[in-house]
Amino acid sequence: MNQERIARRGQFQGVIVSHCPFGQGYNSLIIRFEGIASVTIAKAQPGQFVQVACGPAGITKGTTLRRPFSISGVTLDGDTTCLEIIYRIIGPGTEALANMSVGDMIDVLAPLGQGFKLPKDPDAKCLLLGGGIGLPPMFFLADRLAQQGVDRVGFAAARNIEVVQNDIVAEAIVDNPLVPSKAMKHFNASDTGSIIASDDGSCGFKGNILEALEGFLARHPDWNIATMYACGPEPMLKALALFAQAVDMECQVCMEAYMACGIGVCQSCAIELAGGERSYKLVCAHGPVFNGREIKW
Amino acid sequence: MTDKNVDLGVQFGPLKLANPIMTASGTCGYAFELRDFVDMDRLGAYITKSITLEPRMGNKPQRTYEVASGMMNAIGLANVGLDKFIEEKIPLLEKMNVPVIVNVAGKEVPEYVKVAKEVSAQDCVAGLELNVSCPNVKEGGISFGTDPKLIQELVGSVRQACPDTFLIVKLTPNVTDITVPARAAIDAGANALSLINTFMGLAIDAEKRKPILANRTGGVSGPAVKPMALHMVNRVYNEVAKDAGIPILGMGGITNATDAIEFILAGATGISVGTNVLINPGCLNEIEVGLKEYLIRHHETKLSDLIGKLK
């Protein structure tokens, strides 16, 4: 290997320093890395992801594929870097991950994929739109935009107030009177505040996230020049991307796909592109962040 | 004894390899895609993803699925096609410090011949691996691999077009008797055999009552197939390859050095890692270390002394 070439990604082992519930059914996992791993992972960008071997590092990993998780935060602290993922337990991989404890070593491929394109203009405005497990990359993005001093508004979608009170959405919301005990710093530090949309109106705006966004833009016409950043269920992304096209706003969507390698070699995670002839890009290598116009919805 | 005193070198056809470890086609890209995770210089040889004459965009997703101790795939030979391969990938492969073997696939004999001829003419290409066993494309692929007459026609035609090329034929396990296609390939001029490609399988979503893979069927790989792969390597070694002096590239569920040793004992001269590279790419280098440790532990000096030494 050319030692002079500084790798932009790698296979690293870190130690779990925190592993705790984050809303009902979700866990937050924080892994600390040292040395080259720390340097490499500190460069991770919002929207990038990690491939996690969901079992103790060093043990034969041949029986289970890695699981991809978007990065919800990266903190450089001296010579170490802490990386956070927030995940939901949905199958054997995430169940095995949930059984890992603080102090365990864990093996990751990181950081992977192409992240969000951040605004270069300090006067830019950013709309962060997250639904369910699509929220974690928005936390990372919100954090990075806050560091840059970029104006931003966070939108979180939920089905109803129970979901909001128990769900990852609650953790995302700042200063929401309905969920005071859950008020967290994750999503938003904007003067404008964060907006929650619930399908039945039991919490925040009644309607879906697109309707909430449309209402917001009607009330704040100066935000029509904003860039949309979205992650969540595909129907939500589709609705947002098509809306963005219709009103000529830029919309970056963070996509999900069934993945094996996560590093561009197996070609599992093909996503069909808009346009005449059938063609694909790979979510793991060309994405997971795409311009909403690129995708065939 | 230290690891300096042990020799992992193997003679794989005309290629003298520093060790028997190779990538498996389809799991390692076209050149340096794995270099952030693997020291490519420490491979025995590098085998590319399949190349076809025309670019192929591959099957509709979902293309892979995890199964017990393995996975299924139906990628559909997605690849950049011959022209782009020559233009963009060959310059990268020229920089590779280990022998490069290019995997070639096609729909019909003339297509295989054209690709084989053009690719083998490249200076940096040390050999070809003919994929006569892809279970995931409608035409060609596996239909060649399951019919000994077609194997003979295909391998014979490529042999004729590329008389001096080191030719490996990758066989499918989806046959009743693996020695039949093995013999057919050798008779037609194969210099080595790759054993095995994936087993045809079907994954079903019971709730939706639909196949999980968009292609319906897919190839099963990973540790789940290792016992069958070992059996086939051992049979072909004992009944065909040993007497013919044809080396075997063994693969199927290898995840670590112990698995690799098992294939070598069964009769493989080289070993390929596929599925596990997707999970633990670093295993390609870990296996090299583990093979040395095995030799030291067993007071052996040459790995090649162990080929086919299953008692």
Side-chain angles (χ1 to χ4, degrees):
Chain A
M1 202 182 303
N2 184 353
Q3 296 296 339
E4 288 166 17
R5 196 178 61 84
I6 296 171
R8 62 204 156 93
R9 56 184 192 170
Q11 182 170 1
F12 302 119
Q13 295 189 357
V15 62
I16 296 176
V17 293
S18 168
H19 197 181
C20 56
F22 189 101
Q24 203 168 47
Y26 296 86
N27 285 334
S28 152
L29 176 74
I30 300 178
I31 312 167
R32 190 175 64 213
F33 298 91
E34 297 176 351
I36 293 171
S38 170
V39 175
T40 309
I41 289 171
K43 291 182 194 146
Q45 293 298 311
Q48 287 192 295
F49 69 101
V50 295
Q51 275 278 60
V52 178
C54 296
I59 293 179
T60 301
K61 306 173 198 84
T63 50
T64 315
L65 297 174
R66 285 173 188 265
R67 297 293 189 264
F69 302 101
S70 58
I71 300 169
S72 58
V74 165
T75 318
L76 180 65
D77 181 15
D79 295 334
T80 66
T81 296
C82 284
L83 176 144
E84 184 189 34
I85 61 169
I86 294 167
Y87 65 95
R88 187 168 53 183
I89 302 166
I90 55 165
T94 42
E95 269 167 27
L97 186 59
N99 285 329
M100 295 189 72
S101 307
V102 170
D104 287 347
M105 295 298 287
I106 189 163
D107 187 295
V108 305
L109 309 180
L112 304 179
Q114 315 298 323
F116 291 109
K117 290 183 182 66
L118 302 186
K120 292 190 177 71
D121 180 359
D123 295 328
K125 294 183 185 300
C126 298
L127 296 160
L128 281 56
L129 302 129
I133 200 61
L135 279 161
M138 292 299 147
F139 301 162
F140 189 13
L141 179 61
D143 185 50
R144 197 50 65 84
L145 293 173
Q147 284 173 22
Q148 292 185 7
V150 174
D151 210 4
R152 65 216 168 275
V153 178
F155 291 75
R159 285 185 301 281
N160 54 49
I161 190 167
E162 281 76 26
V163 171
V164 174
Q165 284 170 335
N166 295 322
D167 201 74
I168 191 171
V169 172
E171 305 278 9
I173 298 303
V174 181
D175 297 335
N176 189 312
L178 288 167
V179 281
S181 64
K182 292 278 189 180
M184 294 286 286
K185 65 184 186 305
H186 289 283
F187 203 5
N188 193 283
S190 160
D191 296 338
T192 318
S194 55
I195 292 174
I196 186 161
S198 56
D199 291 344
D200 63 359
S202 56
C203 183
F205 177 84
K206 182 181 178 183
N208 64 34
I209 198 164
L210 172 59
E211 290 161 342
L213 173 67
E214 285 175 311
F216 173 84
L217 290 174
R219 292 192 303 279
H220 304 273
D222 53 324
W223 279 76
N224 284 301
I225 50 106
T227 300
M228 292 163 58
Y229 297 89
C231 188
E234 199 169 305
M236 173 190 130
L237 296 182
K238 177 180 178 177
L240 291 171
L242 295 179
F243 168 76
Q245 279 182 47
V247 299
D248 201 25
M249 288 174 75
E250 184 186 341
C251 180
Q252 299 180 29
V253 288
C254 188
M255 303 299 292
E256 196 175 38
Y258 199 96
M259 233 171 240
C261 73
I263 55 178
V265 293
C266 77
Q267 312 250 337
S268 297
C269 57
I271 188 163
E272 194 167 352
L273 301 180
E277 290 204 8
R278 184 165 66 99
S279 65
Y280 297 103
K281 278 191 174 179
L282 299 179
V283 171
C284 77
H286 304 118
V289 176
F290 294 91
N291 186 312
R293 293 171 189 270
E294 276 186 280
I295 307 295
K296 181 173 183 181
W297 298 104
Chain B
M1 203 172 355
T2 70
D3 66 358
K4 298 253 186 316
N5 302 110
V6 297
D7 178 10
L8 297 185
V10 293
Q11 190 70 38
F12 185 54
L15 307 179
K16 191 167 172 38
L17 307 181
N19 66 60
I21 304 159
M22 295 173 231
T23 49
S25 180
T27 60
C28 52
Y30 299 109
F32 288 102
E33 287 90 334
L34 292 175
R35 72 175 172 181
D36 292 331
F37 310 99
V38 180
D39 184 344
M40 305 299 282
D41 292 352
R42 282 168 55 200
L43 294 174
Y46 174 76
I47 301 183
T48 70
K49 182 165 176 57
S50 287
I51 305 302
T52 55
L53 185 58
E54 302 296 333
R56 289 181 61 96
M57 66 188 64
N59 293 327
K60 291 191 169 164
Q62 182 171 349
R63 294 179 171 183
T64 50
Y65 181 61
E66 183 175 286
V67 297
S69 289
M71 66 180 279
M72 293 176 61
N73 87 81
I75 306 297
L77 294 179
N79 80 95
V80 294
L82 179 64
D83 289 349
K84 208 166 173 190
F85 177 76
I86 299 282
E87 189 187 318
E88 291 178 8
K89 309 300 179 185
I90 287 289
L92 297 174
L93 291 168
E94 282 169 350
K95 294 182 186 148
M96 191 90 44
N97 293 322
V98 299
V100 170
I101 294 165
V102 176
N103 185 293
V104 171
K107 287 184 210 164
E108 46 198 26
V109 174
E111 183 185 349
Y112 274 96
V113 169
K114 184 155 194 239
V115 177
K117 220 171 159 177
E118 202 153 330
V119 170
S120 63
Q122 305 294 321
D123 286 341
C124 66
V125 175
L128 302 180
E129 184 183 52
L130 289 187
N131 181 359
V132 298
S133 43
C134 181
N136 300 323
V137 293
K138 283 199 186 83
E139 333 80 347
I142 201 167
S143 62
F144 281 106
T146 51
D147 182 338
K149 280 196 190 113
L150 280 176
I151 288 185
Q152 276 198 316
E153 188 196 337
L154 172 62
V155 177
S157 302
V158 173
R159 168 70 0 182
Q160 206 175 7
C162 315
D164 303 319
T165 299
F166 175 46
L167 209 55
I168 310 165
V169 176
K170 186 167 184 175
L171 298 177
T172 174
N174 297 293
V175 292
T176 312
D177 181 353
I178 189 72
T179 64
V180 173
R183 270 198 195 88
I186 292 170
D187 288 349
N191 304 114
L193 300 174
S194 283
L195 291 166
I196 54 174
N197 208 319
T198 55
F199 283 86
M200 189 89 96
L202 172 64
I204 294 174
D205 183 330
E207 295 303 316
K208 294 181 185 161
R209 304 183 185 183
K210 281 181 169 173
I212 286 171
L213 298 176
N215 188 53
R216 290 188 76 87
T217 57
V220 183
S221 63
V225 309
K226 195 182 82 171
M228 292 85 95
L230 281 169
H231 169 64
M232 289 185 170
V233 166
N234 194 229
R235 257 202 87 191
V236 169
Y237 178 74
N238 285 328
E239 296 179 31
V240 187
K242 186 163 70 173
D243 288 344
I246 294 289
I248 295 172
L249 176 54
M251 70 198 79
I254 295 175
T255 66
N256 56 35
T258 307
D259 295 335
I261 289 286
E262 291 170 15
F263 274 84
I264 288 162
L265 291 170
T269 297
I271 60 101
S272 275
V273 188
T275 300
N276 200 54
V277 167
L278 307 180
I279 299 164
N280 179 23
C283 75
L284 287 166
N285 294 147
E286 291 165 12
I287 290 172
E288 184 201 11
V289 175
L291 290 177
K292 285 180 182 168
E293 285 169 359
Y294 180 89
L295 292 182
I296 292 166
R297 193 153 45 85
H298 287 264
H299 307 289
E300 299 279 354
T301 53
K302 286 166 73 83
L303 182 70
S304 57
D305 289 343
L306 300 181
I307 297 168
K309 289 296 156 57
L310 179 65
K311 288 174 188 166

